[in-house]
Each structure stands twice: as structure tokens, then as C-alpha cells.
Amino acid sequence: MNDLTKKVAVVTGATGGMGQVIAADLVRAGAHVITVARDPARADALRARIGEQAADRLEVIPGDLSRRADVVTTAKSISDRHDRIHILVNNVGAHYSEHRVSADGIEMHIALDYLAAYGLTTLLDGPLRRGQARVVNVASDTLNDTRQIKLAGKARPATLDLAGVDDLAELNPAHGFVPFEAYARAKLMTVTAGYALARGLAADGVTVNALHPGIVATDIINDLVPPLLRPMGSLIRRSMLTPAEGAESATRIATDPALAGVTGRYFSRDTESGTPPVSHDPATQRKLLALSQAHFTA
């Protein structure tokens, strides 16, 4: 990784799993890293992992990024302290096995896995443009196939039908809720919005790319493994990538000079890949951006 001295990086979801590795690697490369932590104990664990460099190069903002107010407050706090941001890794995310809504009435996958990334990217518009930032959205290839067991048959991509939708609170309703599909839809929304945001930010040198880091053995996997396969959970986890291996792809997209200027792409680990046609549909992108902006201006 290049020397990142005097560079400012924002990494969400940095208190666990892959995010810890990303944050620590950026700090050790010289960057000043900002993250958001809901749990003070986990923030302390991140500081301990980084070591003495955390004193000067790690900045922790308390907050819950599933809450609109906390996303807005976090963005303002960062903007007030930092004129330029050079890297934004939107890594925060979770999988919920039951239907839950946020404090704002939004289904939790959409609130945390999508709106946190959209909100920070748009609310930090000025610092990102001044820093000619690289934005990396950590997604999941579940958006290309929502089947949990893929033994036979065709892939079943996530869907995103916004016709007649007037509020994001209408998406992923309790009736007919399927956790894995709800998770995949939120990741599809992140990629879809990212393509549109990439076009709007390109003139100022900001790049926006999305990443499937591979099947990484993180806490999310405990919920994603189908019930029939859970007795073999430890064996399955051993076959997966480690958080450090998953983090490599995210830090590469965020820092590799060879990717300077590359934007509006989706990578499966280190290989550029495709996403469902709906993610490229201009009308869907416009509607999604309008609904998302309305959420933060309500």
C-alpha cells in the first residue's frame, strides 16, 4: 500500500470483522482514520488492535448508523473537522434474521446496509470532492443470486421494483419478509445508487465503486448459513476467506494507483463483474436517489 500520510479515510463498520483490518491497515500506512462506533467497548478493542498509532491516527465518533439523525450528525462532525476526505469505505452492514425497523421506521437492512452508505456519501459531498476521494461500497454478490443453497438451477437475482413506492419505509415489509432477500435487496440498492452517484461525482475526480469481498468468515455468516447446514458451521467457516483476505480487495480499490480514475464499477474480489439489469436502469436510479434524498431531508 502507498504511503497515506496526511490522507484522511472514513471507514464504517470498523469495530468488527473485515472493517477492523481495513482501518488498521490504513492507519499503519499513515492515514488518519475516522470511524463510527455504537459500542464503546468495541471501539476500545479497535484501538488496542491498532496499538500506539491509534492515539494520533484513529478518530472514533459515537453513533448508530442505522439512525438518520446519527448519520447526519456524523457527517457534520467529520465535515467540521476535516476539509478533505481521501478515502470513504462504506463497510458497515448486518443481516437480520427477523423483520426489524429502525428508529425512523425503515426496515433495518435498508437503514444500515444501504442508507448509511448513501447518507455519508452525499452528506460528505464537499470534503469528498475536495479530496478527490475514492469511495468503496462493500456489497455482497447475494444481489446476483438470492438462493442460499446453489446446488442446481438458475441464479435468482435480487429485485428492486420502485413503481408506486413513495417512501423507503415501504420496502422489505413484514408481510412476506425473507431475510436473505431483504439483505440482498439492500446491497442491490447500494450498487444501484452508487452507479448514479459515480456519474455525478466524476467531474471532481471522485470515484465510486462497489465490492463483493468474497465469502468472508465474519459474524454475518452465522445468520446467512441456511439452517440445514448449520451443524457443519465450523467446517463451512474454515473454507471461507479470513477477514484479512476479504479486506485486501477493499483496500486495493481504495488505494491502488492502477485504479486511479476507475469509477462506477462492481468488483467480485479483484475481478470486475456485472450486476442485475435493474441496477443500470436510469429510471430506477433516479427514483432511488429521490427517495433516499427525501429520507434525509424529511
Side-chain angles (χ1 to χ4, degrees), residues 16-39:
M18 207 172 78
Q20 273 195 348
V21 180
I22 296 169
D25 286 348
L26 294 176
V27 166
R28 289 166 187 155
H32 177 90
V33 173
I34 307 161
T35 192
V36 184
R38 184 180 57 182
D39 183 349

Side-chain angles (χ1 to χ4, degrees), residues 15 27 29 35 44 51 60 74 86 95 116-118 143 146 157 162 175 184 216 224-226 246 256 293:
T15 59
V27 166
T35 192
D44 289 341
V60 179
T74 294
H86 304 92
H95 176 267
Y118 170 86
L143 60 86
T146 60
L162 300 180
H175 178 71
V216 181
L224 293 182
V225 173
D256 188 347
Q293 183 179 15

Side-chain angles (χ1 to χ4, degrees), residues 228-271:
L228 288 174
L229 299 181
R230 283 177 188 166
M232 298 182 289
S234 59
L235 178 63
I236 292 171
R237 290 180 73 91
R238 284 199 295 272
S239 70
M240 296 175 181
L241 300 174
T242 66
E245 290 171 328
E248 286 177 1
S249 297
T251 53
R252 184 184 76 88
I253 295 172
T255 63
D256 188 347
L259 292 174
V262 173
T263 192
R265 311 291 176 84
Y266 173 76
F267 294 88
S268 181
R269 296 205 71 195
D270 294 329
T271 304

Side-chain angles (χ1 to χ4, degrees), residues 94-98 100 106-115 172 177-180 182-184 186-187:
H95 176 267
Y96 300 93
S97 58
E98 297 179 352
R100 294 174 55 186
I106 305 293
E107 192 275 322
M108 281 294 289
H109 288 105
I110 293 173
L112 187 63
D113 295 2
Y114 167 60
L115 281 171
N172 289 353
F177 182 74
V178 179
F180 198 64
Y183 172 79
K187 295 299 187 181

Side-chain angles (χ1 to χ4, degrees), residues 63-223:
D64 178 351
L65 291 178
S66 72
R67 301 170 61 96
R68 173 174 50 208
D70 285 18
V71 174
V72 173
T73 299
T74 294
K76 185 177 187 306
S77 179
I78 294 172
S79 297
D80 287 346
R81 300 178 197 179
H82 302 280
D83 183 62
R84 288 173 171 78
I85 297 169
H86 304 92
I87 295 169
L88 169 58
V89 181
N90 288 309
N91 171 68
V92 70
H95 176 267
Y96 300 93
S97 58
E98 297 179 352
H99 188 270
R100 294 174 55 186
V101 296
S102 72
D104 308 302
I106 305 293
E107 192 275 322
M108 281 294 289
H109 288 105
I110 293 173
L112 187 63
D113 295 2
Y114 167 60
L115 281 171
Y118 170 86
L120 288 180
T121 303
T122 55
L123 293 168
L124 292 173
D125 181 87
L128 291 172
R129 290 181 188 271
R130 289 189 288 272
Q132 296 186 317
R134 293 193 189 186
V135 179
V136 181
N137 293 321
V138 178
S140 164
D141 213 50
T142 55
L143 60 86
N144 277 315
D145 192 354
T146 60
R147 296 174 303 157
Q148 287 185 273
I149 301 176
K150 303 173 176 58
L151 298 179
K154 294 181 179 180
R156 191 169 64 235
T159 59
L160 182 59
D161 183 2
L162 300 180
V165 175
D166 297 317
D167 191 306
L168 290 177
E170 299 171 31
L171 297 181
N172 289 353
H175 178 71
F177 182 74
V178 179
F180 198 64
E181 292 180 7
Y183 172 79
R185 181 170 295 111
K187 295 299 187 181
L188 176 61
M189 292 167 71
T190 297
V191 172
T192 302
Y195 289 148
L197 293 173
R199 292 194 300 272
L201 291 164
D204 287 308
V206 179
T207 63
V208 182
N209 294 293
L211 163 74
H212 167 58
I215 307 300
V216 181
T218 63
D219 291 342
I220 289 179
I221 290 300
N222 295 331
D223 281 333

